[in-house]
Amino acid sequence: MEKRVLVLNLDHSPVAVVSAQKAIVLTLLDKANVLSTYDLLEIRTVSRSFEYPAVIRLNHYKNIPYRGVLLNRVNLFRRDKGECQYCGSKRHLTIDHVIPKSKGGKTNWTNLITACNRCNVNKGDKTPEQTGMNLRTFPFKPTLSFFLADYAERQAEEWLPFLSS
Ligand SMILES: [Zn+2]
């Protein structure tokens, strides 16, 4: 699986995650410097090979407004660590509205959770209070740093020294 590259702003705050190809283009254009590489990996082109960047820093400050983490299936499952928030199952995952849409429940980070198909069907069109099904964690709106730390812990420990500051 291809590793991703963490992009830091001039002040070292994380601003984006890009592909290795994009990171190398930024460094070749002198728009960024490589701060850390993945050991034992390299990028090959026809004529040369490059160290595989893990963290790069932009050479000019970029004012990038933070728009929040995109609410989608992949990010929701990741926030919930791929587990049904009622029973903990990791199989047949679906998305559940904690407060059902029919009862005015919203489609947002604090009302959507990961639920296995069985729990979703059992819960049906009821609230957790009505079914007595308890949530294992409270649904929250994740930050960019939450996802960066999550990714770093799973497959890019080279990022960790740059996320703490
Ligand atoms: Zn379940």
Side-chain angles (χ1 to χ4, degrees), residues 83-93 114-120 122 133 136:
E83 291 177 359
C84 171
Q85 295 300 292
Y86 296 113
C87 75
S89 170
K90 291 175 183 285
R91 303 187 62 192
H92 307 299
L93 298 178
T114 305
C116 72
N117 192 45
R118 201 182 55 163
C119 288
N120 207 337
N122 285 345
M133 293 165 73
R136 297 158 75 92

PDB file of all heavy atoms in Angstrom, residues 83-93 114-120 122 133 136, ligand 1:
ATOM      1  N   GLU A  83     -15.667  -0.149  14.336  1.00  0.00           N
ATOM      2  CA  GLU A  83     -16.454  -1.012  15.220  1.00  0.00           C
ATOM      3  C   GLU A  83     -17.876  -0.499  15.347  1.00  0.00           C
ATOM      4  O   GLU A  83     -18.104   0.705  15.457  1.00  0.00           O
ATOM      5  CB  GLU A  83     -15.842  -1.016  16.630  1.00  0.00           C
ATOM      6  CG  GLU A  83     -14.505  -1.707  16.697  1.00  0.00           C
ATOM      7  CD  GLU A  83     -13.906  -1.633  18.096  1.00  0.00           C
ATOM      8  OE1 GLU A  83     -14.538  -1.016  18.991  1.00  0.00           O
ATOM      9  OE2 GLU A  83     -12.808  -2.179  18.281  1.00  0.00           O
ATOM     10  N   CYS A  84     -18.807  -1.447  15.382  1.00  0.00           N
ATOM     11  CA  CYS A  84     -20.189  -1.103  15.675  1.00  0.00           C
ATOM     12  C   CYS A  84     -20.225  -0.418  17.046  1.00  0.00           C
ATOM     13  O   CYS A  84     -19.670  -0.938  18.014  1.00  0.00           O
ATOM     14  CB  CYS A  84     -21.048  -2.363  15.698  1.00  0.00           C
ATOM     15  SG  CYS A  84     -22.725  -2.070  16.305  1.00  0.00           S
ATOM     16  N   GLN A  85     -20.858   0.727  17.126  1.00  0.00           N
ATOM     17  CA  GLN A  85     -20.857   1.492  18.379  1.00  0.00           C
ATOM     18  C   GLN A  85     -21.875   0.967  19.390  1.00  0.00           C
ATOM     19  O   GLN A  85     -21.958   1.465  20.504  1.00  0.00           O
ATOM     20  CB  GLN A  85     -21.089   2.970  18.089  1.00  0.00           C
ATOM     21  CG  GLN A  85     -19.951   3.603  17.289  1.00  0.00           C
ATOM     22  CD  GLN A  85     -18.623   3.510  18.019  1.00  0.00           C
ATOM     23  OE1 GLN A  85     -18.429   4.140  19.047  1.00  0.00           O
ATOM     24  NE2 GLN A  85     -17.699   2.691  17.504  1.00  0.00           N
ATOM     25  N   TYR A  86     -22.627  -0.054  19.006  1.00  0.00           N
ATOM     26  CA  TYR A  86     -23.536  -0.699  19.963  1.00  0.00           C
ATOM     27  C   TYR A  86     -22.929  -1.991  20.519  1.00  0.00           C
ATOM     28  O   TYR A  86     -22.936  -2.206  21.722  1.00  0.00           O
ATOM     29  CB  TYR A  86     -24.883  -1.000  19.302  1.00  0.00           C
ATOM     30  CG  TYR A  86     -25.630   0.247  18.870  1.00  0.00           C
ATOM     31  CD1 TYR A  86     -25.829   0.526  17.519  1.00  0.00           C
ATOM     32  CD2 TYR A  86     -26.126   1.144  19.812  1.00  0.00           C
ATOM     33  CE1 TYR A  86     -26.502   1.662  17.115  1.00  0.00           C
ATOM     34  CE2 TYR A  86     -26.790   2.292  19.418  1.00  0.00           C
ATOM     35  CZ  TYR A  86     -26.984   2.556  18.072  1.00  0.00           C
ATOM     36  OH  TYR A  86     -27.638   3.692  17.680  1.00  0.00           O
ATOM     37  N   CYS A  87     -22.406  -2.854  19.630  1.00  0.00           N
ATOM     38  CA  CYS A  87     -21.959  -4.171  20.113  1.00  0.00           C
ATOM     39  C   CYS A  87     -20.465  -4.424  19.921  1.00  0.00           C
ATOM     40  O   CYS A  87     -19.940  -5.419  20.415  1.00  0.00           O
ATOM     41  CB  CYS A  87     -22.763  -5.283  19.423  1.00  0.00           C
ATOM     42  SG  CYS A  87     -22.268  -5.564  17.710  1.00  0.00           S
ATOM     43  N   GLY A  88     -19.780  -3.560  19.151  1.00  0.00           N
ATOM     44  CA  GLY A  88     -18.342  -3.737  18.976  1.00  0.00           C
ATOM     45  C   GLY A  88     -17.962  -4.621  17.793  1.00  0.00           C
ATOM     46  O   GLY A  88     -16.778  -4.822  17.527  1.00  0.00           O
ATOM     47  N   SER A  89     -18.944  -5.152  17.090  1.00  0.00           N
ATOM     48  CA  SER A  89     -18.636  -5.997  15.925  1.00  0.00           C
ATOM     49  C   SER A  89     -17.907  -5.196  14.857  1.00  0.00           C
ATOM     50  O   SER A  89     -18.119  -3.994  14.699  1.00  0.00           O
ATOM     51  CB  SER A  89     -19.938  -6.561  15.337  1.00  0.00           C
ATOM     52  OG  SER A  89     -19.670  -7.181  14.096  1.00  0.00           O
ATOM     53  N   LYS A  90     -17.004  -5.877  14.131  1.00  0.00           N
ATOM     54  CA  LYS A  90     -16.276  -5.216  13.047  1.00  0.00           C
ATOM     55  C   LYS A  90     -16.791  -5.669  11.681  1.00  0.00           C
ATOM     56  O   LYS A  90     -16.171  -5.398  10.661  1.00  0.00           O
ATOM     57  CB  LYS A  90     -14.785  -5.546  13.159  1.00  0.00           C
ATOM     58  CG  LYS A  90     -14.100  -4.923  14.359  1.00  0.00           C
ATOM     59  CD  LYS A  90     -12.651  -5.406  14.447  1.00  0.00           C
ATOM     60  CE  LYS A  90     -11.939  -4.869  15.669  1.00  0.00           C
ATOM     61  NZ  LYS A  90     -11.559  -3.467  15.575  1.00  0.00           N
ATOM     62  N   ARG A  91     -17.899  -6.378  11.678  1.00  0.00           N
ATOM     63  CA  ARG A  91     -18.375  -6.943  10.413  1.00  0.00           C
ATOM     64  C   ARG A  91     -19.703  -6.328   9.983  1.00  0.00           C
ATOM     65  O   ARG A  91     -20.503  -5.903  10.796  1.00  0.00           O
ATOM     66  CB  ARG A  91     -18.525  -8.458  10.559  1.00  0.00           C
ATOM     67  CG  ARG A  91     -17.211  -9.110  10.991  1.00  0.00           C
ATOM     68  CD  ARG A  91     -17.314 -10.610  10.977  1.00  0.00           C
ATOM     69  NE  ARG A  91     -17.593 -11.083   9.626  1.00  0.00           N
ATOM     70  CZ  ARG A  91     -17.968 -12.334   9.346  1.00  0.00           C
ATOM     71  NH1 ARG A  91     -18.118 -13.199  10.303  1.00  0.00           N
ATOM     72  NH2 ARG A  91     -18.199 -12.679   8.094  1.00  0.00           N
ATOM     73  N   HIS A  92     -19.919  -6.319   8.677  1.00  0.00           N
ATOM     74  CA  HIS A  92     -21.176  -5.841   8.071  1.00  0.00           C
ATOM     75  C   HIS A  92     -21.539  -4.454   8.597  1.00  0.00           C
ATOM     76  O   HIS A  92     -22.647  -4.244   9.094  1.00  0.00           O
ATOM     77  CB  HIS A  92     -22.317  -6.826   8.345  1.00  0.00           C
ATOM     78  CG  HIS A  92     -21.983  -8.239   7.943  1.00  0.00           C
ATOM     79  ND1 HIS A  92     -21.689  -8.590   6.648  1.00  0.00           N
ATOM     80  CD2 HIS A  92     -21.865  -9.375   8.672  1.00  0.00           C
ATOM     81  CE1 HIS A  92     -21.416  -9.886   6.599  1.00  0.00           C
ATOM     82  NE2 HIS A  92     -21.504 -10.383   7.802  1.00  0.00           N
ATOM     83  N   LEU A  93     -20.604  -3.542   8.463  1.00  0.00           N
ATOM     84  CA  LEU A  93     -20.815  -2.211   9.038  1.00  0.00           C
ATOM     85  C   LEU A  93     -21.702  -1.330   8.158  1.00  0.00           C
ATOM     86  O   LEU A  93     -21.604  -1.348   6.933  1.00  0.00           O
ATOM     87  CB  LEU A  93     -19.467  -1.527   9.280  1.00  0.00           C
ATOM     88  CG  LEU A  93     -18.570  -2.266  10.287  1.00  0.00           C
ATOM     89  CD1 LEU A  93     -17.234  -1.551  10.424  1.00  0.00           C
ATOM     90  CD2 LEU A  93     -19.256  -2.408  11.642  1.00  0.00           C
ATOM     91  N   THR A 114     -21.133   4.398  13.432  1.00  0.00           N
ATOM     92  CA  THR A 114     -20.935   3.114  12.774  1.00  0.00           C
ATOM     93  C   THR A 114     -21.745   2.064  13.530  1.00  0.00           C
ATOM     94  O   THR A 114     -21.663   1.982  14.759  1.00  0.00           O
ATOM     95  CB  THR A 114     -19.439   2.732  12.814  1.00  0.00           C
ATOM     96  OG1 THR A 114     -18.686   3.797  12.235  1.00  0.00           O
ATOM     97  CG2 THR A 114     -19.178   1.443  12.057  1.00  0.00           C
ATOM     98  N   ALA A 115     -22.551   1.304  12.807  1.00  0.00           N
ATOM     99  CA  ALA A 115     -23.321   0.230  13.439  1.00  0.00           C
ATOM    100  C   ALA A 115     -23.315  -0.978  12.524  1.00  0.00           C
ATOM    101  O   ALA A 115     -23.359  -0.836  11.301  1.00  0.00           O
ATOM    102  CB  ALA A 115     -24.764   0.668  13.685  1.00  0.00           C
ATOM    103  N   CYS A 116     -23.247  -2.175  13.117  1.00  0.00           N
ATOM    104  CA  CYS A 116     -23.312  -3.368  12.278  1.00  0.00           C
ATOM    105  C   CYS A 116     -24.746  -3.510  11.779  1.00  0.00           C
ATOM    106  O   CYS A 116     -25.688  -2.939  12.336  1.00  0.00           O
ATOM    107  CB  CYS A 116     -22.849  -4.608  13.038  1.00  0.00           C
ATOM    108  SG  CYS A 116     -24.008  -5.183  14.291  1.00  0.00           S
ATOM    109  N   ASN A 117     -24.890  -4.272  10.722  1.00  0.00           N
ATOM    110  CA  ASN A 117     -26.197  -4.415  10.100  1.00  0.00           C
ATOM    111  C   ASN A 117     -27.236  -4.941  11.098  1.00  0.00           C
ATOM    112  O   ASN A 117     -28.371  -4.479  11.139  1.00  0.00           O
ATOM    113  CB  ASN A 117     -26.068  -5.347   8.896  1.00  0.00           C
ATOM    114  CG  ASN A 117     -27.307  -5.314   8.031  1.00  0.00           C
ATOM    115  OD1 ASN A 117     -27.824  -4.243   7.742  1.00  0.00           O
ATOM    116  ND2 ASN A 117     -27.792  -6.473   7.653  1.00  0.00           N
ATOM    117  N   ARG A 118     -26.819  -5.904  11.938  1.00  0.00           N
ATOM    118  CA  ARG A 118     -27.760  -6.504  12.886  1.00  0.00           C
ATOM    119  C   ARG A 118     -28.278  -5.475  13.891  1.00  0.00           C
ATOM    120  O   ARG A 118     -29.479  -5.367  14.133  1.00  0.00           O
ATOM    121  CB  ARG A 118     -27.077  -7.664  13.619  1.00  0.00           C
ATOM    122  CG  ARG A 118     -28.051  -8.648  14.224  1.00  0.00           C
ATOM    123  CD  ARG A 118     -27.328  -9.736  14.957  1.00  0.00           C
ATOM    124  NE  ARG A 118     -26.431  -9.151  15.962  1.00  0.00           N
ATOM    125  CZ  ARG A 118     -25.904  -9.832  16.966  1.00  0.00           C
ATOM    126  NH1 ARG A 118     -26.159 -11.105  17.097  1.00  0.00           N
ATOM    127  NH2 ARG A 118     -25.118  -9.238  17.835  1.00  0.00           N
ATOM    128  N   CYS A 119     -27.352  -4.699  14.480  1.00  0.00           N
ATOM    129  CA  CYS A 119     -27.780  -3.671  15.440  1.00  0.00           C
ATOM    130  C   CYS A 119     -28.638  -2.610  14.751  1.00  0.00           C
ATOM    131  O   CYS A 119     -29.614  -2.128  15.324  1.00  0.00           O
ATOM    132  CB  CYS A 119     -26.567  -3.011  16.091  1.00  0.00           C
ATOM    133  SG  CYS A 119     -25.721  -4.086  17.265  1.00  0.00           S
ATOM    134  N   ASN A 120     -28.263  -2.275  13.532  1.00  0.00           N
ATOM    135  CA  ASN A 120     -29.022  -1.257  12.809  1.00  0.00           C
ATOM    136  C   ASN A 120     -30.465  -1.728  12.599  1.00  0.00           C
ATOM    137  O   ASN A 120     -31.426  -0.982  12.824  1.00  0.00           O
ATOM    138  CB  ASN A 120     -28.342  -0.966  11.459  1.00  0.00           C
ATOM    139  CG  ASN A 120     -28.630   0.440  10.971  1.00  0.00           C
ATOM    140  OD1 ASN A 120     -29.618   1.052  11.361  1.00  0.00           O
ATOM    141  ND2 ASN A 120     -27.776   0.961  10.104  1.00  0.00           N
ATOM    142  N   ASN A 122     -32.019  -4.109  14.392  1.00  0.00           N
ATOM    143  CA  ASN A 122     -32.669  -4.223  15.709  1.00  0.00           C
ATOM    144  C   ASN A 122     -33.143  -2.867  16.222  1.00  0.00           C
ATOM    145  O   ASN A 122     -34.191  -2.762  16.855  1.00  0.00           O
ATOM    146  CB  ASN A 122     -31.700  -4.821  16.739  1.00  0.00           C
ATOM    147  CG  ASN A 122     -31.512  -6.315  16.526  1.00  0.00           C
ATOM    148  OD1 ASN A 122     -32.296  -6.945  15.819  1.00  0.00           O
ATOM    149  ND2 ASN A 122     -30.484  -6.870  17.130  1.00  0.00           N
ATOM    150  N   MET A 133     -30.416   0.293  23.821  1.00  0.00           N
ATOM    151  CA  MET A 133     -29.096  -0.002  23.252  1.00  0.00           C
ATOM    152  C   MET A 133     -28.152   1.146  23.609  1.00  0.00           C
ATOM    153  O   MET A 133     -28.399   2.284  23.245  1.00  0.00           O
ATOM    154  CB  MET A 133     -29.190  -0.165  21.732  1.00  0.00           C
ATOM    155  CG  MET A 133     -29.981  -1.405  21.320  1.00  0.00           C
ATOM    156  SD  MET A 133     -30.470  -1.396  19.580  1.00  0.00           S
ATOM    157  CE  MET A 133     -28.913  -1.703  18.773  1.00  0.00           C
ATOM    158  N   ARG A 136     -21.235   2.869  22.852  1.00  0.00           N
ATOM    159  CA  ARG A 136     -19.945   2.621  23.516  1.00  0.00           C
ATOM    160  C   ARG A 136     -19.120   3.891  23.639  1.00  0.00           C
ATOM    161  O   ARG A 136     -18.346   4.041  24.583  1.00  0.00           O
ATOM    162  CB  ARG A 136     -19.165   1.571  22.720  1.00  0.00           C
ATOM    163  CG  ARG A 136     -19.890   0.233  22.688  1.00  0.00           C
ATOM    164  CD  ARG A 136     -19.434  -0.612  21.515  1.00  0.00           C
ATOM    165  NE  ARG A 136     -18.119  -1.188  21.734  1.00  0.00           N
ATOM    166  CZ  ARG A 136     -17.935  -2.387  22.278  1.00  0.00           C
ATOM    167  NH1 ARG A 136     -18.943  -3.115  22.682  1.00  0.00           N
ATOM    168  NH2 ARG A 136     -16.720  -2.857  22.427  1.00  0.00           N
TER     169      ARG A 136
HETATM  170 ZN    ZN B   1     -23.617  -4.212  16.391  1.00  0.00          ZN
END
